[in-house]
Amino acid sequence: MTAYKIKVLENAVAHNTGGRNGHSQTEDGSVSVDLSVRKGMGGPGLPGTTTPEHLFAAGYAACFGGAVEFVASQHKVKIPDAKVTCKVSVGPRDGGGFGIGVDMKVTAKSLPTAELRKIVEEAHEMVCPYSHATRGNIPFHLEVEGG
């Protein structure tokens, strides 16, 4: 067993066969996806498939959105129109192998940009587990657009 520096509240377990041109599925069956390498990366780009980067983008966007909602609620602020867009890029690294980068954008016309930025930055720095896991490991750009 792995010793964690967190109090584990939940576990998610997924299995893959075939790597990037295979299939991934969670143990509980809640996620089941066929994968293929996109044509831009030299793969078949099969229709109806996804990539690890798409899954990462969806997970990070959802997690980040939840962190923003949590921080807003702690400050007694409502952001019913908050939208999080996470763009994950993949490509060769200077040091060899491949790496990813993230461009994150949060929009909400219901708050002024300065107020929204404070909430979003707190969510990024203090709450979001994806942000904690990737901080300092990948290029990350954050854009905030309020009303």
Side-chain angles (χ1 to χ4, degrees):
M1 273 297 175
T2 304
Y4 293 105
K5 293 182 181 180
I6 61 171
K7 178 183 174 188
V8 176
L9 299 176
E10 182 69 29
N11 290 298
V13 179
H15 305 283
N16 172 275
T17 55
R20 284 181 167 269
N21 286 304
H23 182 81
S24 289
Q25 182 168 335
T26 56
E27 243 178 30
D28 67 1
S30 63
V31 176
S32 179
V33 293
D34 291 320
L35 305 146
S36 72
V37 176
R38 294 293 189 239
K39 288 182 180 182
M41 290 181 64
L46 300 175
T49 63
T50 194
T51 69
E53 293 74 38
H54 285 91
L55 296 170
F56 189 85
Y60 200 166
C63 190
F64 201 87
V68 169
E69 288 177 359
F70 175 79
V71 171
S73 72
Q74 296 296 299
H75 292 281
K76 311 255 188 278
V77 174
K78 294 188 187 289
I79 315 175
D81 62 335
K83 178 181 174 183
V84 176
T85 303
C86 179
K87 175 182 163 188
V88 174
S89 301
V90 62
R93 295 174 355 119
D94 289 341
F98 289 83
I100 62 171
V102 169
D103 290 294
M104 189 75 70
K105 181 175 183 179
V106 180
T107 59
K109 299 299 180 191
S110 60
L111 282 182
T113 299
E115 186 177 354
L116 179 60
R117 178 172 300 286
K118 286 180 184 176
I119 290 169
V120 169
E121 287 179 352
E122 184 177 338
H124 177 58
E125 294 298 325
M126 304 301 297
V127 179
C128 180
Y130 277 66
S131 293
H132 292 313
T134 59
R135 185 170 291 110
N137 298 318
I138 64 169
F140 180 88
H141 176 259
L142 179 61
E143 183 179 344
V144 179
E145 184 182 308

